[in-house]
Amino acid sequence: MDGAALYQENCASCHGAELQGQPDWHSPGPDGRLPAPPHDATGHTWHHGDEILFRITRDGTAAVVGGGYASDMPGFGDALTDAEIRAILDYIKSTWPERERAYQRERTQQE
């Protein structure tokens, strides 16, 4: 399963072809929602363990965060299989420097 191709097909339109995210991703837009963050080492994806990343991708950010949180990140559980989601996450993780990968592995073990 080609995680890079699946990422380009399903994620790149918001998170960028180079995983760079949308401009000003730290600042809410006029609608109060945060732009799509980068998935490269400059973002915060690597701060989260595998299970939370999987759930956000499958169910959407608002469903995972709860409390009325609004997000443009939909859940992809109806469009992608669990294996496809994991392949995308594996691809994203493969692009990080070792320091970020090591930190993320530790977070995953703590889940």
Side-chain angles (χ1 to χ4, degrees):
M1 193 162 306
D2 187 351
L6 287 166
Y7 173 88
Q8 292 302 322
E9 292 168 18
N10 296 279
C11 314
S13 63
C14 292
H15 292 281
E18 301 296 321
L19 294 91
Q20 74 274 15
Q22 294 176 336
D24 254 351
W25 65 275
H26 284 292
S27 302
D31 62 0
R33 297 178 182 196
L34 290 169
H39 286 316
D40 62 15
T42 68
H44 59 78
T45 307
W46 56 273
H47 295 190
H48 304 291
D50 285 350
E51 186 57 28
I52 191 76
L53 294 176
F54 175 80
R55 288 179 47 225
I56 287 170
T57 308
R58 183 190 64 201
D59 303 329
T61 304
V64 174
V65 173
Y69 183 82
S71 172
D72 289 330
M73 172 66 184
F76 284 86
D78 291 338
L80 297 168
T81 67
D82 289 0
E84 289 171 327
I85 292 170
R86 293 195 193 285
I88 290 168
L89 295 173
D90 286 346
Y91 161 67
I92 290 169
K93 292 188 295 184
S94 77
T95 69
W96 300 335
E98 179 53 34
R99 181 181 74 107
E100 285 75 7
R101 287 195 313 263
Y103 180 89
Q104 198 272 335
R105 279 193 301 271
E106 189 174 309
R107 290 301 301 251
T108 297
Q109 291 171 353
Q110 294 170 357
E111 286 184 332

